Amino acid sequence: MSEAIAPLRLTPSAETVHWGYFDARIAPCARIRSGERIVIETVSGARDNLPPAPFTVSEAHRNVLAECRQLLPGHICTGPVYVEGAKPGGVLEVTIEAIEMAADWAFTTTVPLTGVLPDLVPEKTLHHSAIDAARGVARLPWGTEVPLAPFFGVMAVAPPTGWGRISTLPPRQNGGNIDNKMLVAGTTLYLPVFQDGALFSAGDGHGAQGDGEVCETALETALKGTFRLTARNDMTLAWPAAETADCVITMAFHADLDRAVEIAVGDMVARLRAAAGLSASEAYALASLTADVRVTQAVNGNRGAHVVLDKRYLAPVGA
């Protein structure tokens, strides 16, 4: 009986990290076949976000800060990964098999002129929280405990070539800073592909976050994720989408939150029409009765909205 082959593992380093930006010209640091698994480790936080002792800052994190240059405002991302068979116009299926906490600390900041309430705080404040992975909680510095529900705020493919070098901060059609707290282990994310190989990256580890991410940071921390990356050239998408065991999720991002909602709702109505064989009026009415419209995040330049629908409503009528 042959032993299972361990998946490729990417740890953060000068060779595997791009800081603050996406660009179709970034050379892949790993290559896998469609359907293979890969373990990607990420770190979060610049020098001024690091905690004091007794918290532990990993050697990998310290080396990234010493050896890598932040080219645009944005996140430390690990990747990109070239997925054989992924083609422009198709979709990358990102099955999130597992997410593990990779640090004993996290940070959250409140900063003047940022977030949903830009005039609330007079100066920057940095809050360090203790991660208790064994108990599944984070203890905030003032004593409140928050349940851990880790996910990667940033999951992306390379953007269209014509976009050039872009910041990771605003989410776009290639994914990026989606900040959707539903993208936990067990969820599958679908990303439109713009480049051969898709060129998948991940970063911006979150230990927990509420919908909206209202102060512009979550429980920012290091994570280790196990992903199965599959080229789906039988699919087309204009915007990222996702599914869990029970529901489907459409997503959209725009500087105007109302427009993001319109796009995400429109995509869900179109999906209902195609899957359930409904008319435009029927699908629109059913979405109004059964779909939940949520604010993904309201703070990253492009606002995010997502629509959640129970999968049972996608069944053809009478099936």
Side-chain angles (χ1 to χ4, degrees), residues 232-271:
R232 293 292 304 272
N233 296 317
D234 59 326
M235 294 177 64
T236 59
L237 285 175
W239 295 90
E243 64 177 299
T244 70
D246 302 316
C247 65
V248 292
I249 306 163
T250 56
M251 293 180 266
F253 323 107
H254 198 278
D256 183 338
L257 181 58
D258 288 346
R259 182 62 183 134
V261 169
E262 291 170 8
I263 295 168
V265 170
D267 282 355
M268 186 60 79
V269 169
R271 185 157 186 174

Side-chain angles (χ1 to χ4, degrees), residues 4-302:
I5 298 174
L8 183 66
R9 179 174 170 178
L10 285 182
T11 57
S13 70
E15 290 73 37
T16 63
V17 157
H18 51 101
W19 188 353
Y21 69 102
F22 298 119
D23 192 324
R25 296 168 295 183
I26 301 175
C29 60
R31 187 181 186 107
I32 64 172
R33 291 178 299 211
S34 175
E36 286 188 335
R37 297 160 66 231
I38 187 167
V39 175
I40 300 178
E41 298 181 18
T42 66
V43 295
S44 291
R47 288 181 182 83
D48 60 355
N49 300 127
L50 299 183
F55 294 118
T56 302
V57 179
S58 70
E59 182 178 358
H61 196 164
R62 292 189 185 278
N63 288 342
V64 164
L65 297 181
E67 299 173 11
C68 300
R69 190 159 63 98
Q70 183 176 8
L71 297 185
L72 288 175
H75 309 86
I76 301 172
C77 297
T78 306
V81 178
Y82 187 104
V83 181
E84 294 179 1
K87 299 293 182 184
V91 168
L92 183 67
E93 179 180 292
V94 181
T95 303
I96 307 164
E97 294 191 349
I99 302 177
E100 301 173 50
M101 307 303 296
D104 64 357
W105 61 277
F107 73 91
T108 305
T109 59
T110 58
V111 181
L113 306 181
T114 64
V116 171
L117 304 175
D119 300 320
L120 180 66
V121 296
E123 60 186 10
K124 178 178 177 178
T125 303
L126 176 63
H127 303 288
H128 286 116
S129 298
I131 300 296
D132 187 337
R135 293 179 57 228
V137 298
R139 184 175 179 82
L140 308 188
W142 53 90
T144 301
E145 289 191 342
V146 174
L148 295 173
F151 71 97
F152 291 88
V154 171
M155 289 181 283
V157 296
T161 304
W163 291 7
R165 180 180 291 168
I166 56 173
S167 168
T168 64
L169 289 175
R172 299 177 173 89
Q173 286 171 285
N174 68 311
N177 193 23
I178 299 173
D179 284 338
N180 189 328
K181 73 174 188 177
M182 295 188 72
L183 301 181
V184 295
T187 302
T188 298
L189 172 66
Y190 299 94
L191 296 170
V193 173
F194 301 97
Q195 304 292 335
D196 284 341
L199 301 175
F200 176 78
S201 299
D204 189 30
H206 289 175
Q209 180 205 292
D211 282 334
E213 197 189 27
V214 295
C215 81
E216 203 167 12
T217 51
L219 197 67
E220 309 285 336
T221 192
L223 294 179
K224 179 171 74 172
T226 302
F227 304 92
R228 187 179 299 275
L229 303 180
T230 305
R232 293 292 304 272
N233 296 317
D234 59 326
M235 294 177 64
T236 59
L237 285 175
W239 295 90
E243 64 177 299
T244 70
D246 302 316
C247 65
V248 292
I249 306 163
T250 56
M251 293 180 266
F253 323 107
H254 198 278
D256 183 338
L257 181 58
D258 288 346
R259 182 62 183 134
V261 169
E262 291 170 8
I263 295 168
V265 170
D267 282 355
M268 186 60 79
V269 169
R271 185 157 186 174
L272 274 169
R273 293 189 67 186
L278 302 177
S279 70
S281 176
E282 290 167 341
Y284 197 17
L286 182 57
S288 191
L289 300 179
T290 60
D292 292 321
V293 179
R294 300 176 183 171
V295 176
T296 319
Q297 55 76 25
V299 293
N300 290 324
N302 285 338

